[in-house]
């Protein structure tokens, strides 16, 4: 086995543990619900728009469930896309001087070590990717690793979660019922104005007034967009605009760069947004 | 041969045997019918919706036919998907220090060891996958393994089964007649209310009243959905909702998370479901 | 060369010979026609519906032409599908400790050993598969093996046959004229009632009365289906229903499982079939 | 280098030479035209329907131009199809014990040895296949072998020819002008009745009367088909029908098997053909 | 490890540093905005038409931010296209004499060394390419390298930027919101006339009068094109025309070759352009 | 490294130099324009129909610019097609006994040795092929070789050229603006009658009268075709017809074979052409 492969193989799942408490502001009962689902190892689907905090929620929960960071659960996040194949998740043989060595994929690492495997934007994945998780999300809790001829039982702490943005109307890519009905679903949204103010102030390091302005702006645009069926600005974009302001860029210019131009190329939509700004 | 390959090769078919009696509640004469078909090794197709118990039935039957667990038949389950190719089923050569070694695929393992090979959601499979089983499902009972230049006779105990959800109207992917007419077909459905109550109570560990409420809810939604041509909630989702309730989540919230949000993203459908809840 | 490869390479064509007389009931002059075609090594196309006995006819003819089993011709059957590529038929290099070794594909084995190569459901095959057989089906009788840089002359006993179900209206996949006009074509159909009775009784081991009932049922459904342009039940399905009856399943239930459910998912069609039953 | 590869590499181009005079009956001035084109090494395109003798003409010309068989030109025939890639024509590296060895493809073998490379049904080929021949079909007469980093000059005797059936209306696959305008084109058709009689008698070994009947039949069907825009029976099918007759099959039955059933599945067309028969 | 691989592996990121000050004429506040964004490592999207200076701006900024060339940031530019896969960005194992060695892709090199990775024309990229950058463009700043089983933390100096031409109306390829909302966006356009004159004079080495003529021509054509919804000539084309003039080609001919013919094949559009010329 | 690979690697770029003066008759100022563009290394696009002499012009210019053959520039011609991938141009690792060795692709060879790389019919190429040349066709003049982790600076004599036939209306494959605006464009057409006469006489070796007849014929057909929007016969086809005449084929027959049949299969168009003949 070459040095590179050997390193890859023994690579500790430890790098996947979140040891410092992530900054997370709960919006509703999502922490309690997830805790209840995890107690029975019920797979969880997070539904919600771009940049509303789903990924950070997962980091928080692995920290929280792991005795509040004293023994955090490993978190294996997989960003799904249409070229992701089952072999990327499960693992593959890699040629070495001793013939071929098996290299666990990220899903297998989570199944083996007992962490949470989080499939981000799962509707983008190919069918074979969603089918491979079926036996991990019912009473069987096993992962068939066909290329090794074995069936691996999941570690007692393992749980499979996934996220999904219902705002994308790509019907063709909708999850199959046989996949979807294996998960309970928690809905996420952008935080209410007061909470978003607090988040922007904390993350961008701006004063309360600037944060309040940005949160108000977001609320207005989202109301606008809801009518037009479009997606509003994410909390992340507000934080970027705040950061630019802290670095001395004027408020109007920061919102132009961080919100208007970042959201759309359409000149009509842009001038609509500018008016709100 | 490297250690990884050697392990994969000798991996005992034993890990595929169900030795503890699976919890299975028969709905009709399906056990007797399957027993009769297996006596003459007639291939069986299970037709039915998502999460109605087809997979567990297969586990039960391999336990039952194997002298009620004293000598259970191996069960090799293959979740079909559109990227599954024949080589994944039959096997492949893998490079090793001694050149190339052959590694049986899951179908070949079942053919060799004399178990039941269960192709789950077979309509999702590619054509080459369905064609490879033709000679195993007629009087020949052989598997041509082209890459090894041989024809393998099936073990006397081998049987090929598959499942199929007729509710998906993906006509394009319909089974070819030449494949379909190789199987007798047993139809499955969701269990009647009283039976479903018993199953939910047993699996979720909730009281009779809660289980009755969930079974009633499912019946109502399924009647609703039948009119709309959609699929109802699976028994599995009811069990999940029951589990959340046992963990202290309120009944309404548990049904929201475990049934309403898990079934659909459509706000109109969701509020319809909420009324029923 | 590794042991697996060596085994694959020397694997005797003998496993492809049918030494026991197959049970075959001639319907017309098909045995005499095939014998005449084989005498001049004229390629033969078998046309007919699913499960009417084409495959068994091929086994019978290799037994019959091989001095009635004293020296049976090898029979190499290849189930065609849209993912079958020319390399699967002709052969490929496989890496070994001595570099690369050539492994004959099934077509090449038949060409070399002088058997009948039977391409089942040839319309499903990819174009490159049908083109590769051109030089084997005209006066040249050679197989170019490009990867080995040679042209292999066919053994004097070699013949290429193929089958085809004209009932599938997949025009797109129609055979090219340049392929089709290389074969004489023998048409097959389901056996007439009296003959089908005899076959069902023999194969399912049921009494004459039950066999007669099943053959009558098949005739009725096929007449029904001919009007509707659909395909009727194959003789194989009748045999399955007979076997279930012999195992104690009631006649009506056996026909439901073995014929009605096996043929269609359409509830209207199903109740039509049930009336006939 | 393994034994298999070494054999493939040194394989003599000699197996590609036609040493016995092929049976060929000239229809017009095609032999003289081809001879003139070959004198200046002008690439030639043969246009004509299936089974009219284009392939045999090529064999005849390599025999004829090679001092009437005393020093026949090698003939490398490549049956084109949509999965044929440039690497199949030019060659590839194959892994061996000494690293990698280069294996000439069929086109390269012809370019090197100075034979005729004949691309049969070239419209079926992929674009990269037709583009690779451009520099071989203009004044440059070179083949770039990118994978070896070299430009190979063609042997003085090399010529590239191709065939094409203008009767297929697959416009999408039409040859690009930039490919087509590199060839002079000789048109082929079925032989006139008297000549076809002679060919059928010679090839099928039947008497003059039977041959005359078959040639007459072909003429009638072709006239019929010309009106319907379809393709008529090839001379090859007539020969097959003649052979069956010589083996004792009745004339009507032989034409049914060898012409009617071989040409079409359409029952209306079939009864039309039967009337002519 | 072979010499070629070893060279590839240790190849210094130094070749990616721009040490001489690039010629760049700022148009607005783009330098200040980029500096502010880089201070907080906010990912930046450059929006603008072909040939307006986006690539040179990136070179300028890595020089400028790197202490004005005293310690320039590495710049890794990746020209995106639809066949670019994630493995091309992240890296791959390459077989060597010691088994397999890992070779960093360009993205990984930038993440490791702390430079700017610039994805040019990112809308052309495949989905898996855009998804792989998600965890690098939020608070996580990590790159999961699945094939090595590890998560790599980005160097503190790393920043991901990308460019995009909003003038292409290829809606299908629009960036997903979940990708887009990770970047602040700076808009670029062609320089105003006076500035473009200076640029053309400097780059093409022509006199002020000729440069002025070319800049005026460009302005006119762009006004024309704006009405027609087309793209105008890039500054690059003006420089080419200027260079041809400096080499003695007449002004009209230089504009014909360098602008008219280079922009379109449409004869109507061409004569329109010629009039302007 | 195996012998084959070693040969491929050291293969001298010398085989790509045109040392004898190619026969080329200039039509306009194309030689002077190209010389001016090359002086500043401005990439050049040749626009024009099939067989009008673009390839020969490139050979002539590398001879001409190379001190009129005393030190000819290497010319690396790449015939583009839709299956050409970037790796084919840039190079690839090839397995050898010493692990893997890098083999330059044709583009890299030209970049390294300082020749002209000529992409013939570039619109046929895949996007990744056209994108790879971007950094070679602006002020950067570098080729990123991702697989080796390096950026190669082009040799001072390197220039990238390409050709394109605007007559093909394959809009989908149109060059992207961001590619097109990197080239000045020289338009080519068929030579005027008097010049074409001289070319045909020279190349086909026929007398002035015959050459005049052929040139007149071409002019007439091209006028005809211009109205019909089709492409006329190339000069190459006229030369072929002339050659056949010199070999004794009658003028009418030579034009039938070399022009009419070579240009079209349409019988109506053919008889139109025959009238002109």
């Amino acid at each position: 086995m070459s040095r590179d492969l050997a390193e890859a193989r023994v690579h500790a799942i430890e790098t996947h543990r979140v040891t410092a408490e992530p900054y997370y502001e709960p919006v509703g009962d999502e922490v309690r619900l997830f805790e209840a689902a995890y107690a029975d190892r019920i797979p969880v689907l997070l539904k919600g728009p771009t940049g509303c905090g789903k990924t950070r929620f997962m980091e928080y929960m692995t920290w929280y469930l792991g005795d509040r960071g004293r023994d955090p659960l490993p978190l294996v996040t997989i960003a799904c896309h249409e070229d992701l194949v089952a072999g990327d998740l499960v693992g593959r043989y890699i040629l070495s001087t001793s013939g071929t060595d098996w290299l666990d994929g990220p899903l297998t690492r989570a199944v083996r070590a007992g962490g949470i495997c989080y499939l981000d934007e799962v509707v983008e994945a190919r069918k074979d990717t969603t089918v491979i998780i079926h036996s991990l999300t019912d009473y069987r809790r096993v992962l068939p690793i066909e290329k090794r001829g074995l069936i691996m039982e999941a570690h007692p702490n393992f749980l499979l979660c996934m996220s999904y943005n219902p705002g994308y109307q790509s019907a063709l890519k909708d999850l199959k019922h046989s996949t979807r009905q294996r998960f309970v679903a928690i809905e996420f949204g952008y935080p209410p104005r007061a909470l978003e103010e607090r988040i922007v102030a904390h993350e961008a390091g701006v004063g309360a007034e600037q944060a309040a302005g940005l949160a108000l702006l977001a609320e207005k645009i989202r109301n606008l967009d809801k009518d037009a069926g479009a997606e509003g600005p994410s909390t992340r974009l507000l934080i970027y605009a705040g950061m630019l302001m802290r670095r001395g860029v004027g408020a109007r210019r920061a919102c132009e760069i961080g919100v208007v131009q970042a959201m759309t190329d359409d000149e009509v939509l842009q001038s609509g947004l500018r008016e709100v700004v």
Side-chain angles (χ1 to χ4, degrees), chain A residues 19-266:
Chain A
T19 48
E21 178 173 2
Y23 173 71
Y24 182 74
E25 300 272 0
V27 179
D29 61 350
E30 71 269 25
V31 173
R32 193 170 60 88
L33 286 176
F34 194 94
E35 196 173 6
Y38 184 74
D40 283 316
R41 304 296 185 264
I42 302 176
V44 179
L45 165 65
L46 311 185
K47 294 169 40 172
T50 280
C52 71
K54 299 189 296 292
T55 299
R56 188 143 335 166
F57 174 67
M58 288 310 301
E59 298 207 339
Y60 180 77
M61 290 311 300
T62 56
W63 176 88
Y64 179 89
L65 292 172
D67 204 8
R68 301 194 170 227
R70 270 180 288 274
D71 184 20
L73 293 171
L75 174 63
V76 176
T77 300
I78 299 165
C80 296
H81 53 80
E82 60 189 19
D83 297 311
L84 190 80
V85 297
D88 297 328
L89 294 182
V90 175
R92 56 186 80 242
Y93 284 105
I94 292 185
L95 205 63
S96 79
T97 45
S98 59
T100 40
D101 293 297
W102 174 261
L103 193 61
D104 277 353
L107 176 59
T108 306
R109 279 200 304 276
V111 166
R112 189 192 294 275
I116 290 183
C117 183
Y118 173 53
L119 299 174
D120 195 13
E121 299 203 39
V122 74
V123 280
E124 302 292 334
R126 288 165 68 119
K127 288 276 173 62
D128 65 336
T129 303
T130 50
V131 158
I132 207 85
I133 62 174
H134 279 193
S135 59
L136 281 167
T137 49
D138 57 26
Y139 67 96
R140 291 176 286 173
R141 288 180 61 84
V142 296
L143 175 65
I145 307 183
E146 286 309 346
K147 283 185 188 141
R148 306 202 65 191
L150 60 81
I151 290 176
M152 180 184 281
E153 283 187 36
H155 185 285
N157 287 348
F158 172 78
L159 185 70
L160 199 124
C161 297
M162 60 191 197
S163 75
Y164 168 59
N165 182 347
Y168 289 149
Q169 288 103 337
S170 56
L172 275 179
K173 278 183 163 177
D174 254 355
L175 281 175
K176 297 196 303 175
H177 274 280
S178 60
T179 300
R180 184 167 184 144
Q181 294 212 355
R182 292 162 182 282
F183 293 80
V184 299
I186 304 178
E187 203 171 21
F188 281 74
Y190 292 119
R193 175 145 50 112
L195 182 55
E196 193 158 40
E197 263 182 59
R198 204 158 69 229
I199 296 172
V200 171
H202 178 274
E203 296 277 288
V206 290
E209 202 180 337
Q210 286 173 312
L214 285 163
L216 179 64
L217 174 70
E219 194 181 72
K220 282 191 180 162
I221 297 178
R222 285 176 197 146
N223 286 337
L224 223 86
D225 286 343
K226 197 179 286 175
D227 299 338
E231 260 193 49
S234 64
T235 306
R236 187 187 297 124
L237 281 186
L238 302 181
I239 294 167
Y240 284 169
M243 283 170 163
L244 291 176
M245 285 155 72
R246 191 166 48 84
R247 294 287 173 185
V249 178
R252 195 170 300 271
R253 190 74 180 128
C255 290
E256 172 75 18
I257 296 300
V259 180
V260 179
Q261 290 287 352
M263 281 181 66
T264 182
D265 304 328
D266 188 298

Side-chain angles (χ1 to χ4, degrees), chain A residues 10-23:
Chain A
V10 304
H11 197 278
I13 190 77
E14 301 316 313
T15 69
H16 292 81
R17 297 192 203 261
V18 176
T19 48
E21 178 173 2
Y23 173 71

